[in-house]
Amino acid sequence: MTWKQRLGSAIPYILLTILTIPVFVGYLWIIISTFSGRTYGLVPVDSQGNFGGLTLENWSFLWEDPNIWFVTLNTLLLSVLLTVGVVIISALAGYALSRISFPGRKTFLAGTLILHAFPSVTLLISIYFVLRWISNLPVLGKGLPIIGGFGYNTVGGVALVMVSLSLPLGIWLMKGFFDNVSWDMERAALIDGCSRLRVWWEIMLPSIKPGIAALSIFTFITGWGAFLIPYTFITDQEKSTLAAYLNSLMGETAPVNYSRVAAVGLFQLIPVLFFFIFTQEYLLSIFSGGSKGGT
Amino acid sequence: MKVLLENLSKHFGSVVAVDGVTLDIRDSEFVAFLGPSGCGKTTTLLMVAGIYKPTTGIVKFDERVVNHLAPRDRKIGMVFQSYALYPHMTVYQNLTFPMRLSKVPKSEMEARAKEAADILGIGALMDRRPGQLSGGQQQRVALGRALAKQPDLLLFDEPLSNLDARLRLSMRGEIKRLQMELGITSIYVTHDQVEAMTMADRIAVIREGKLQAYATSDELYDQPRTLFIAGFVGNPPMNLIEVEVLQEGDSYRARRNGFDLQLSEARGHKAAGRGKVILGIRPEDVSIGDRGLRGEVYVVEPLGRDDLLDVHVGDASVHVLADPSLHLKIGDQVQLGLNVDKVQFFDPESEQSLLWA
Ligand SMILES: Nc1ncnc2c1ncn2[C@@H]1O[C@H](COP(=O)(O)OP(=O)(O)OP(=O)(O)O)[C@@H](O)[C@H]1O
Ligand SMILES: [Mg+2]
């Protein structure tokens, strides 16, 4: 390789490096500031303005505020409910839309696409009324253990709303993955003795594993970072989700401790970060839109 | 098991994929569906399998109408062009999947899978996944999966078209041998006429959804009933030349510009006095000699065993299989002898044979 070729192959890396520096510096600042009283640029300083002043004070919420653990579990619960709901419904609906011709199929597909285009903010008020109505149902409304129910001011209710808002995208994604599975394989399975449901379960689902993984991860992360819906439909911010909890730290009464906000933010970010590191390969397959391997 | 298709049709919206096909398949018979791409072979096969519901017509297995039977209740094995193996299962799991679904006892399942694997020489691959096999190996597994379930009817949809020429040749023989040994009634879809001719007991020629002919390969070859069959069956294809057949006393002559051929009475009188007809003669029934039609060599294609010549006789072009040792070159003047006991005649309007109608 001549030096020219070497330079040529290095240029993309150089460009990428330059482009990622601001993002990288941003995260670095967050990490540093959570361990400092104050910072001057990226340098932690003490009250006299000298280097130093490192502290764990900003992380004290972990052991001083019992709400944080409650909120974390709540967020986890919401994310899991959301993921399970979206994946199951999308996988069933996507299969039907991909493989079975029934009246209204085209309309349904177009309809979900339009729904997906609606910003959810516009629906907040109407959703509020729906949740209030569900609240009045016996047991289902607000009488269930753990998730509270599916009505207003319950984790289940928030999950229900978020599932419905995520379904259009999920269904389209799953339909896309099913479209890529060969008809012959499905026919072979039908001839080999499967019922339609069994084909779905034993042949189709395993063939689109990367798609299911991608959708699960994507949905889980959406749930983990959810703010607007939990913030709106759970009245007590300190018992809602991490994002809402974070928001409550920036109340109007006291001066905002940005180092603490950064610490809570980082705390929320850690699981997502790990998630991404281990699953980025699957996430990429959402964009390439096909199942890997196969025959 | 016998199979009977009666007036079977399939419409997709306004497309008529299969149009009134009627044919019977005897027990243990090997039948090929032959036709150009898009003529409805796969659609017919999938109706037999129960994947598609016929628009009209019935499918009978033995004496039983099976139109409303689900594919899994029809006791059929099918081999696809794309192999259609289950990528997330090992070869063993692929082979036993149908038996697992029909709750065959485990020991029998293992025995049958092993037997099929041994016959097909894939015993060493049992723990691999389809993605780790070559195309030929995958095709064997697909065949094994269809055989191990011990079906009453085997369906093949162009199973060899993704394989290389040499492998295709050996698999062709193997499938035929297995079918004869096991005696399983089989339908084999192909657009390769050599495959159909060599393997099948009878061939159903399909064109644009309609059954053109249903006969043994010899009959299709020697007594083509339509112009389409004459042109489609045989390689290199039959020469088709427009001529006029005239009766002169006791002799019959086929004539066109620069082309004058004495015919046998048996074949000649059926084509005489009809104005323009189409004369068909296969390249192997034309020989180069020192008598006959005068022509000029226009193209020479060496095929190895023979040279395929394109000889211009007047303004007609005649393909001839010639001995390479003659060393014919473009521009050479030659004389062609046509075997008059092998010529065919067709009506240019109805495209029906004038000899075998
Ligand atoms: N699901 C379908 N919907 C609409 N049209 C179809 C469908 N399946 C097949 N066709 C049409 O029916 C006709 C016959 O198709 P078919 O697949 O049976 O052809 P084929 O003989 O198997 O061809 P090939 O040799 O290319 O496989 C074609 O014109 C095709 O476009
Ligand atoms: Mg086909």
Side-chain angles (χ1 to χ4, degrees), chain B residues 12 15 17 35-44 52 81 157-158 189 191:
Chain B
F12 294 107
V15 181
S37 192
C39 70
K41 308 179 293 286
T42 301
T43 309
T44 312
Y52 286 158
Q81 178 179 359
D157 191 0
E158 309 196 24
V189 161
H191 59 248

Side-chain angles (χ1 to χ4, degrees), chain A residues 1 13 74 81 115 124 138 150 170 176 187 219 255 260 282-283:
Chain A
M1 251 202 302
Y13 291 100
N74 240 359
L81 283 178
L115 275 184
L124 284 182
F150 291 106
R187 287 171 183 154
T219 316
R260 163 157 295 200
Y282 282 123
L283 278 180

Side-chain angles (χ1 to χ4, degrees), chain A residues 16-100:
Chain A
L16 284 176
T17 311
I18 293 172
L19 286 175
T20 36
I21 280 177
V23 183
F24 184 72
V25 169
Y27 279 109
L28 196 63
W29 179 82
I30 289 180
I31 293 169
I32 291 171
S33 71
T34 62
F35 293 105
S36 336
R38 286 195 282 156
T39 53
Y40 182 76
L42 284 177
V43 183
V45 292
D46 60 17
S47 48
Q48 271 79 48
N50 301 319
F51 179 81
L54 291 174
T55 171
L56 281 178
E57 174 62 21
N58 298 317
W59 289 91
S60 64
F61 67 90
L62 287 181
W63 51 87
E64 281 171 3
D65 186 356
N67 269 342
I68 184 71
W69 296 110
F70 182 78
V71 167
T72 308
L73 280 180
N74 240 359
T75 314
L76 184 67
L77 184 62
L78 172 63
S79 308
V80 169
L81 283 178
L82 177 64
T83 309
V84 171
V86 167
V87 169
I88 292 179
I89 299 175
S90 304
L92 282 166
Y95 175 75
L97 288 167
S98 164
R99 290 305 213 232
I100 302 170

Side-chain angles (χ1 to χ4, degrees), chain A residues 182-196 198 202-204 206-207 209 293-295, chain B residues 46 49 51-52 71-72 76 78 80 82 84-89 97-98 100-101 130-131 138 145 149:
Chain A
S182 87
W183 272 99
D184 279 356
M185 205 159 79
E186 185 166 3
R187 287 171 183 154
L190 284 174
I191 290 171
D192 280 348
C194 289
S195 62
R196 212 64 198 246
R198 191 133 189 194
E202 290 219 36
I203 305 297
M204 300 300 274
S207 314
K209 256 192 208 153
T295 47
Chain B
L46 290 177
I51 302 281
Y52 286 158
R72 61 188 159 132
I76 49 185
M78 183 153 174
F80 295 85
S82 61
L85 297 175
Y86 312 123
H88 56 288
M89 300 184 191
F97 184 67
R100 207 182 88 212
L101 292 174
Q138 289 188 39
R145 181 177 67 185
K149 68 187 282 198

